[in-house]
């Protein structure tokens, strides 16, 4: 696709992202367990809450602003972050750390930048010193409580692949921004710990999570979007670290990425997308995870880590993503928020609906496909 064609889609997606509206958070207090098992969690919808879907959404918008090299969305960012400061932030956890990732890049340009800088420092320090840790000192995947924005679900003794994108990328970036070796070292440690417990050597894919009370990977399901958090996230991590990592650690991370990428080529659906359960072609094709996979593959090719065959696969995915953007810019066939499940059916039963992260990950993939 030409840049002109891609930019037409990009602007549709951005307009929809910035106008997704809010959510009726109070509905989460009465939602049934059957609904939540399908991904119906009101705080996840729209762009106005402070949680991981919105954090990923804002990061996608920040990536587009980077492409243009200007501050065209700065007023949107300023209003969003300042509004939340006035309202009061929700509980401190892994997922509510996600909005700090884009904030850490733009904090100096916002109104009252010192306040935002201090918030970022406090959250990074919390990850190091106050976040509960699993055995081997992994970041425990503490999340927001459903129906209570001030409460948490501890998910005691559990690590989830989502944590890498929702918190570790932020910690690493803050380490470089503030020249804090402790923060940089811990971010590297978390990538290594998550690979240790989530990477499956037989397939080259990532499990959704690991629980230490039973020492297993729950149902052992290879979830598309979960894998994509690593595919795209590892390239973000490596770019931020540049040459600061020891060669041995860098090689280890790249080797893991290449092993996963190789499997992705084999599992790509004829349409160009990937299935929500990657190795189950009876599961539906899912756009948000496919977009992050495509973005990660394109980054890998640009970095000289992957060969041109991966660009062909990513280009097929880009075409399929564009086919899943409606006339009003809605990114279609995006699975709702997904907790860990014990069976493939759990992932297959998650509903498809417009989400901020679906808009953002499609936006990220399309931006990566632009020729500069």
């Amino acid at each position: 696709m030409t840049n002109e064609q891609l930019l037409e889609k990009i602007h549709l997606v951005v307009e929809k992202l910035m106008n997704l509206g809010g959510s009726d958070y109070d509905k989460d207090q009465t939602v049934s367990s059957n609904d939540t098992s399908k991904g119906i969690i009101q705080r996840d919808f729209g762009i106005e809450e402070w949680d991981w879907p919105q954090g990923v959404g804002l990061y996608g918008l920040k990536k587009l602003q980077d492409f243009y090299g200007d501050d065209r969305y700065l007023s949107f960012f300023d209003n969003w972050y300042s509004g939340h400061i006035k309202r009061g932030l929700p509980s401190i956890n892994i997922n509510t750390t996600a909005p700090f990732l884009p904030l850490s890049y733009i904090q100096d340009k916002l109104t009252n930048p010192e306040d935002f800088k201090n918030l970022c420092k406090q959250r990074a320090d919390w990850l190091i010193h106050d976040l509960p840790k699993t055995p081997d000192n992994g970041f425990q995947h503490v999340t927001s409580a459903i129906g209570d924005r001030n409460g948490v679900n501890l998910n005691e003794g559990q690590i989830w692949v989502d944590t890498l994108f929702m918190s570790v990328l932020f910690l690493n970036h803050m380490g470089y921004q503030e020249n804090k070796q402790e923060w940089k070292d811990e971010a590297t440690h978390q990538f290594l710990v998550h690979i240790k417990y989530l990477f499956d050597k037989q397939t080259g894919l990532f499990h959704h999570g690991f629980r230490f009370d039973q020492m297993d990977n729950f149902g052992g399901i290879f979830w598309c979007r979960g894998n994509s958090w690593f595919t795209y996230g590892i390239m973000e991590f490596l770019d931020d670290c540049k040459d600061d990592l020891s060669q041995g650690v860098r090689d280890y991370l790249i080797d893991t990425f290449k092993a996963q990428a190789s499997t992705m080529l084999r599992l790509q659906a004829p349409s160009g997308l990937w299935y929500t359960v990657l190795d189950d072609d009876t599961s539906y094709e899912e756009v948000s995870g496919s977009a992050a996979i495509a973005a990660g593959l394109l980054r890998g090719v640009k970095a000289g880590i992957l060969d041109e065959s991966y660009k062909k696969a990513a280009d097929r995915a880009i075409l399929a993503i564009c086919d899943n953007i409606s006339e009003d810019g809605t990114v279609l066939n995006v699975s709702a928020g997904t907790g860990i499940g014990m069976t493939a059916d759990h992932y297959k039963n998650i509903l498809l609906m417009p989400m901020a992260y679906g808009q953002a990950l499609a936006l990220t993939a399309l931006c990566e496909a632009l020729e500069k």
Side-chain angles (χ1 to χ4, degrees), residues 109-127:
K109 297 182 178 181
L110 301 182
T111 305
N112 302 317
E114 286 303 314
D115 292 343
F116 288 115
K117 183 172 289 189
N118 288 333
L119 273 177
C120 286
K121 290 178 181 178
Q122 291 166 14
R123 183 56 63 99
D125 196 63
W126 176 84
L127 289 168

Side-chain angles (χ1 to χ4, degrees), residues 330-346:
T330 301
V331 178
L332 307 173
N333 292 312
V334 172
S335 62
T338 307
I340 291 180
M342 296 300 295
T343 66
D345 282 344
H346 166 78

Side-chain angles (χ1 to χ4, degrees), residues 209-238:
F210 185 90
R211 53 184 176 179
F212 283 87
D213 60 346
Q214 300 192 46
M215 296 301 290
D216 66 19
N217 292 109
F218 294 86
I221 308 300
F222 301 118
W223 174 45
C224 177
R225 192 163 62 240
N227 271 265
S228 80
W229 295 134
F230 181 83
T231 318
Y232 184 60
I234 191 61
M235 294 309 302
E236 291 285 281
F237 179 76
L238 291 172

Side-chain angles (χ1 to χ4, degrees), residues 203-204 257-267 297 306 310:
T203 63
F257 169 68
K258 290 171 71 174
Q260 188 207 36
S262 176
T263 302
M264 291 300 185
L265 283 194
R266 180 170 56 82
L267 295 178
L297 296 182
L306 303 177
Y310 291 90

Side-chain angles (χ1 to χ4, degrees), residues 124-191:
D125 196 63
W126 176 84
L127 289 168
I128 296 284
H129 298 292
D130 297 314
L131 170 68
K133 308 300 192 295
T134 68
D136 274 12
N137 291 306
F139 280 5
Q140 186 169 303
H141 192 74
V142 182
T143 62
S144 306
I146 295 175
D148 178 8
R149 78 190 303 268
N150 297 311
V152 297
N153 287 328
L154 287 174
N155 295 318
E156 191 168 351
Q158 297 180 17
I159 60 174
W160 295 23
V161 70
D162 315 50
T163 295
L164 295 174
F165 200 95
M166 305 312 159
S167 290
V168 179
L169 291 182
F170 159 73
L171 180 63
N172 189 60
H173 184 68
M174 284 298 295
Y176 282 95
Q177 191 162 270
E178 298 297 323
N179 195 26
K180 292 273 286 189
Q181 192 63 43
E182 180 186 26
W183 295 353
K184 292 187 285 185
D185 288 345
E186 188 55 51
T188 301
H189 173 239
Q190 290 306 316
F191 263 93

